[in-house]
Amino acid sequence: MKVLEKPMVVGAKQKAALVSRAALVRWAIIVAIVAILEITTRTGMISQSLMVAPSEILIRLVEIVPTDRFGQDASRTLTTILVSFIIGLVLGLPLGVFLWRIPAAGRILEPFIVTGYAMPTLLFYPVLLAVMGLNAGPIILIAASMALIPIALTTMVALNAIKPILHKLSKSVSASPRQYYVKVLFPAATPLIFPGVKLGFIYSVIGTIAMEFILASKGIGFRAGFYYRELNTADMWAYIAVVIALSVLVNSVLTWLEKRIRRDMQ
């Protein structure tokens, strides 16, 4: 028994070493990029009208983040992202179940949904702006539609991928419809559904920031666009840095959750 456990321990150590090495390489790349940008902006190789030094961006961030204006912008953006994602999740999961449950509907509607997935929904913003006004409504609607589609499609694919034996097992034990969905279908499909949920959240972030940048009265994306139009490069890049940090944080948390779910389901 000890002989069998030894290779498994060695394999785990090798995997951990590879992960640590990859993390070190990633950090080395980030440090190198920051150093190159610092040198090129300080020496004038990159014009100050295009970008400022990372150290100056950091200084502006320290000055901007504690302000009430930044708090209001961040609150508006985060609220819009969360509301649009929740709407996309609440509508996307049942739509995916419907497409799976009624295969004919899936075959008919899937091309339309995929087309909507590929179509830039930002084009509808002027119409929504005229109907709903200059507020968070049009942004939430577009970001929610961007989140809904990948969640619905991956839910349908995940449910189709469930092994037939699980359906037979639930029938053999006379599981109720609630037990069938809650204890059989969704636990089995979760590892495949979650990547769609992750993608939906990312699209909520992208949709919100992009729409705020185009036309809004508040928000992190709006502020970056405002300083771009004002030719205030330092503050513009400070808000862009906030967007980058938010994107990295969201992706890291969702990646950790995905790994945790997959490990728990094994």
Side-chain angles (χ1 to χ4, degrees):
M1 194 70 179
K2 291 181 180 179
V3 176
L4 291 173
E5 289 177 356
K6 211 169 186 181
M8 294 176 63
V9 174
V10 173
K13 287 182 179 179
Q14 288 177 342
K15 188 175 179 180
L18 288 173
V19 171
S20 299
R21 195 177 305 166
L24 287 174
V25 172
R26 281 196 294 266
W27 279 108
I29 292 172
I30 293 170
V31 171
I33 292 172
V34 171
I36 291 170
L37 290 174
E38 185 74 25
I39 293 170
T40 52
T41 50
R42 292 291 182 186
T43 57
M45 294 175 66
I46 296 179
S47 173
Q48 291 284 322
S49 62
L50 296 176
M51 186 172 185
V52 297
S55 57
E56 187 175 344
I57 294 173
L58 182 60
I59 291 170
R60 290 300 300 141
L61 276 173
V62 172
E63 295 172 351
I64 288 171
V65 169
T67 63
D68 292 337
R69 175 182 287 177
F70 177 81
Q72 292 171 1
D73 288 331
S75 176
R76 169 71 172 266
T77 299
L78 293 175
T79 301
T80 304
I81 290 171
L82 289 175
V83 171
S84 61
F85 171 68
I86 290 171
I87 292 173
L89 184 66
V90 169
L91 297 179
L93 287 175
L95 178 59
V97 174
F98 171 76
L99 296 175
W100 164 77
R101 193 68 180 175
I102 305 176
R107 288 191 296 270
I108 294 170
L109 297 177
E110 186 177 359
F112 295 103
I113 296 172
V114 173
T115 301
Y117 191 35
M119 185 173 57
T121 52
L122 303 180
L123 295 174
F124 296 103
Y125 186 69
V127 177
L128 294 173
L129 186 64
V131 174
M132 303 179 71
L134 185 61
N135 52 54
I139 300 175
I140 290 173
L141 191 58
I142 289 176
S145 67
M146 293 175 67
L148 180 151
I149 296 173
I151 293 173
L153 290 176
T154 52
T155 300
M156 180 186 68
V157 172
L159 291 172
N160 280 325
I162 293 176
K163 295 178 181 179
I165 187 66
L166 292 177
H167 302 294
K168 294 177 181 178
L169 178 63
S170 62
K171 288 181 180 179
S172 67
V173 296
S174 300
S176 65
R178 181 180 175 279
Q179 292 172 330
Y180 178 52
Y181 280 96
V182 174
K183 296 188 176 181
V184 178
L185 291 185
F186 280 111
T190 294
L192 292 177
I193 291 175
F194 193 83
V197 174
K198 177 181 175 181
L199 195 60
F201 193 91
I202 291 171
Y203 275 133
S204 294
V205 175
I206 294 172
T208 298
I209 298 296
M211 296 311 302
E212 286 181 347
F213 187 87
I214 294 171
L215 188 60
S217 58
K218 288 181 182 179
I220 293 173
F222 160 75
R223 201 62 60 184
F226 173 80
Y227 287 126
Y228 166 77
R229 291 184 288 272
E230 292 287 313
L231 303 180
N232 188 338
T233 310
D235 286 1
M236 178 192 75
W237 276 103
Y239 274 89
I240 290 174
V242 171
V243 174
I244 293 171
L246 176 63
S247 301
V248 171
L249 177 62
V250 167
N251 186 64
S252 299
V253 171
L254 292 176
T255 300
W256 177 82
L257 280 174
E258 184 177 5
K259 290 179 179 178
R260 181 69 180 268
I261 288 171
R262 288 183 180 276
R263 186 172 68 245
D264 292 343
M265 297 299 289
Q266 289 176 353

